[in-house]
Structures are given as C-alpha cells and as structure tokens.
Amino acid sequence: MRSAAQLSLALRCALAFPAAVAAQALARPAFPPGIQPLYREIGDWIIVCDNTRQCVAKYLLGDHDGDTNPYDEDAGIVIARGAGPAGDLTVDVTAGSSFDPNTIRIDDAMPRRRPKWERFDENRGASIDDVDALSFVREMRDAKTVSWSGKSRGSRVPLRGLAAVLIAMDEAQGRIGNVSALGRPGPRSATTTPAPILPPTVTQGPKPSPLAKPDALARSVRRLQGPVLAAHDCDREAGVGDSADPLDASSAIVLLGCGRFAYQTSVLAFIVPRADPGKARLLMLPDPLPSAPQDSESRGEYVEGSYDAANRVFGQYAKGRGMADCGSAQEWTYDGANFHLSSYTLQQRCGGGSGDWPTLFRTRMQPSFRNLKSGSTPSAR
C-alpha cells in the first residue's frame, strides 16, 4: 500500500511541505491573478492572508526540547483581522478546559488595559475585539509569554515569532506606518490602508440534464479503466465509493473508489463522454502549491474527492493526521467548459481545532444566465 505522502499533491502539502518552500511557492503567481495569498510559519505562530487581504495569525507550538517544554500545546490564541481601514480585529484565547479570562497575564503581569473578555464554549474560550484587542496585541508583540489559570491547570503560550508575524500582517494589509498597524505603527491615518477587495467571481455552469443510468455508467468506466486503477494501486472494493453525475450536456464526471489509508480514502476522477465511456479521461486539476512535479501515481487521484452536482463543485479534503488539526482542502467549480479553483484552505503545522484551517483563497459564486433565470442568486465560497 502506498504511503499517505504518495497519495496526492494536496496531502503532500499538508504533511510535509516545508515552511520555506511554502513562502517561496506563495511568492509566485501560482493562484489565479490578483492579490496573492500569504502563508508563513514563524517561531510558534503561523500567519495566513487570503486573496482579499483578510488575515489570521495562530499560535501553533513549533519545535522545542520535548523534555523541557513548559508550554501548553492544547492552548490557542488566534488573531484575526479584516481588510481595509475599518477591518475588524479580534483575539480569541482557548484552552482544553474551562478557565477564567481575568487571570490572563502578559509576561506574568496584568495587561495595561483591562480587556472586557466575552466567554464562549462553556468557558473554554474568551474573546475581545476593537480597542481592547488592539491594545492587547500590541502589548503581546513586545512580550515573551501569555499565561492564564484554568480549572484543572494553567496554560502558558510562547510569543516567539509573533512580532515578525504582526509585521507580515501589516505588510499584507498595507498598514505599515499608520495608526492601525499592529507590528509597526506610525503617525499616518488609518485611512491610508488599502480598501477591502471583493473575492473574484467564478461562474457556475448551467444545470445539466440527468444521467439515464448513472450506476451502469460507473460500472462501465471501472471495467474499462482497469489498467489505470492498477497503476494507482487501488485497493478499495469494486463499487465502493463509485459514483457518476452529469457534468454538462455531453459529459459526465465519474468517481471510482481507489485508495484506503489510515484515516482517509481516495478516488480517481474521470471526465466521461455520455455516449462513449471508452473515451474517459482522468480529471487532472492543478494544485496551486505543488511540492514536487506531479507523478503518474497521483494524477487524477484525490483525497476524499467528491462532486457536488447541484453546485457543479468538485472538492477534496486531505487531513494531515487523524484528528484533522492540519491539512488542506480545495474546491474547483465547473463553468460549463472548465474547472476553476474556487476555495483553498491550508494548515501545514498541526495544532488547534479539527478542520479549522485558515483560508488562502476565496471566491464568489456567480450562477450562469440560465441558472439566474430559474431564480439562483450569487453566493460566497
């Protein structure tokens, strides 16, 4: 059986994509034209800014001496900031058990401005925003740790790398040198911050007519594609995970169950002429963050691949490990002729909540003219 690292480019990114390579990859125009996303790991933090300049910084414990590590891997601090001069700023502090946010200390001292924390998740989390958040983050910038007392134990979070993360956020949002900056403020007005950017539009293809016999089509493609299944070392039971859905007036998309792994499965995706299943071809969607040239054993294979026929969206969801506290997920929308990237989330370093991965790329869904006539409305992804 293949290792998970051989499974797909997306899973290789989630498991083994080095931070230095990530920064290099995101520096080139790998995503569609426009604002290019930012992903960096610095010290015990990651910074992610999407293609609309929305940014998130997350505490995720980096490499420390395991025998002497005094820090809490279950604790979390998330700093989120919207784009534009009036972009919202929030700070969320979380722990594995209930705690009193009034015990939060910066370098073991009470914050200079007493924040008014709002508790959530049965007292396992606390949040602040606006002026309280701005003062708290700026004080953290120059400190070494944040700590608090919990019902069962205390937590201590290192701030190694946070100052550089905040400067990176300011740079991405165009705040350097103005009064709204977190890492490098200055005298200029907050109004000098660039305005928010609307996500690009992806057109949703027209709704196709249904397939006459989808199950029969999937069985036919499986039978005809035996050599491809063998080349991918597919070991799922025949028929398990197989599906066929209409793609457009002349084609269908067929998914064949392929790999079985410790906590996920994979599918092979094919574009199939409705009238000639023998001419099926693998669906090969570009990964904006390839860690290596795509090899023959991963082309057309997708981790937890699925097709949402109602919205014409193909997606995959690749966990870095079983608890899903790292990984990547992508969606591509079919416009009636081609698939286009419409959503991308990624977290390479493991930690935090299950599936709570920052967004690198987002779009707005625009139904086709035919769909609009039937009453559909645009939506965000």
Side-chain angles (χ1 to χ4, degrees), residues 13-102:
C13 283
L15 291 174
F17 202 59
V21 178
Q24 180 181 6
L26 288 176
R28 65 176 185 266
F31 285 84
I35 299 295
Q36 293 297 295
L38 167 72
Y39 181 104
R40 293 181 65 188
E41 297 177 1
I42 306 174
D44 295 302
W45 294 76
I46 68 169
I47 167 70
V48 181
C49 297
D50 70 12
N51 59 315
T52 70
R53 294 198 181 104
Q54 296 186 56
C55 294
V56 174
K58 296 178 68 174
Y59 158 71
L60 294 171
L61 189 67
D63 293 330
H64 287 267
D65 185 342
D67 294 332
T68 61
N69 176 19
Y71 302 118
D72 184 358
E73 296 185 43
D74 295 326
I77 299 179
V78 176
I79 303 166
R81 192 161 211 187
D88 293 337
L89 175 65
T90 62
V91 177
D92 289 348
V93 176
T94 57
S97 58
S98 61
F99 69 97
D100 181 358
N102 293 313

Side-chain angles (χ1 to χ4, degrees), residues 202-204 365-372 376-379:
V202 174
T203 300
Q204 182 187 67
M365 184 76 73
Q366 174 66 56
S368 71
F369 177 72
R370 284 169 54 183
N371 293 337
L372 285 171
S376 298
T377 56
S379 61

Side-chain angles (χ1 to χ4, degrees), residues 62-356:
D63 293 330
H64 287 267
D65 185 342
D67 294 332
T68 61
N69 176 19
Y71 302 118
D72 184 358
E73 296 185 43
D74 295 326
I77 299 179
V78 176
I79 303 166
R81 192 161 211 187
D88 293 337
L89 175 65
T90 62
V91 177
D92 289 348
V93 176
T94 57
S97 58
S98 61
F99 69 97
D100 181 358
N102 293 313
T103 66
I104 293 176
R105 301 290 185 267
I106 299 176
D107 279 349
D108 298 318
M110 182 74 71
R112 288 190 290 268
R113 177 187 176 92
R114 295 287 185 92
K116 296 180 180 179
W117 294 96
E118 181 177 340
R119 306 186 191 200
F120 61 89
D121 192 20
E122 298 180 345
N123 292 325
R124 290 191 292 264
S127 180
I128 51 175
D129 60 12
D130 199 29
V131 178
D132 280 348
L134 181 64
S135 175
F136 189 80
V137 171
R138 285 179 174 171
E139 191 171 348
M140 282 200 301
R141 176 192 62 199
D142 301 319
K144 293 183 178 180
T145 63
V146 171
S147 58
W148 59 87
S149 300
K151 185 175 181 180
S152 58
R153 62 171 181 169
S155 296
R156 184 172 293 273
V157 169
L159 302 179
R160 184 184 63 161
L162 179 61
V165 160
L166 296 178
I167 291 174
M169 185 182 292
D170 288 341
E171 289 177 337
Q173 295 187 328
R175 299 181 188 276
I176 294 289
N178 78 34
V179 295
S180 71
L182 299 175
R184 192 173 289 168
R188 291 189 295 115
S189 169
T191 59
T192 61
T193 304
I197 297 173
L198 285 175
T201 298
V202 174
T203 300
Q204 182 187 67
K207 183 178 181 180
S209 59
L211 298 175
K213 297 180 179 180
D215 292 343
L217 179 60
R219 288 194 298 270
S220 177
V221 174
R222 176 171 281 277
R223 183 180 69 253
L224 294 168
Q225 295 297 323
V228 177
L229 292 163
H232 282 256
D233 293 331
C234 295
D235 57 3
R236 292 181 73 181
E237 182 180 349
V240 176
D242 293 0
S243 65
D245 289 287
L247 187 63
D248 54 36
S250 60
S251 303
I253 181 168
V254 173
L255 307 184
L256 302 181
C258 181
R260 294 179 299 174
F261 301 90
Y263 39 80
Q264 290 197 282
T265 59
S266 69
V267 300
L268 291 179
F270 294 87
I271 303 299
V272 184
R274 295 191 187 210
D276 192 352
K279 293 183 178 180
R281 57 184 175 83
L282 280 171
L283 172 63
M284 289 182 278
L285 298 168
D287 189 331
L289 297 177
S291 58
Q294 199 169 20
D295 58 69
S296 59
E297 291 186 358
S298 64
R299 292 194 191 103
E301 187 173 353
Y302 300 93
V303 188
E304 296 297 329
S306 63
Y307 184 65
D308 177 356
N311 292 301
R312 271 71 80 198
V313 173
F314 180 85
Q316 74 167 346
Y317 182 86
K319 296 187 289 187
R321 59 183 183 181
M323 64 184 69
D325 60 348
C326 55
S328 67
Q330 302 85 24
E331 290 183 345
W332 295 264
T333 298
Y334 189 68
D335 67 359
N338 298 292
F339 279 95
H340 300 274
L341 184 70
S342 51
S343 176
Y344 200 119
T345 64
L346 174 69
Q347 184 171 305
Q348 294 161 351
R349 182 183 292 177
C350 296
S354 176
D356 183 23

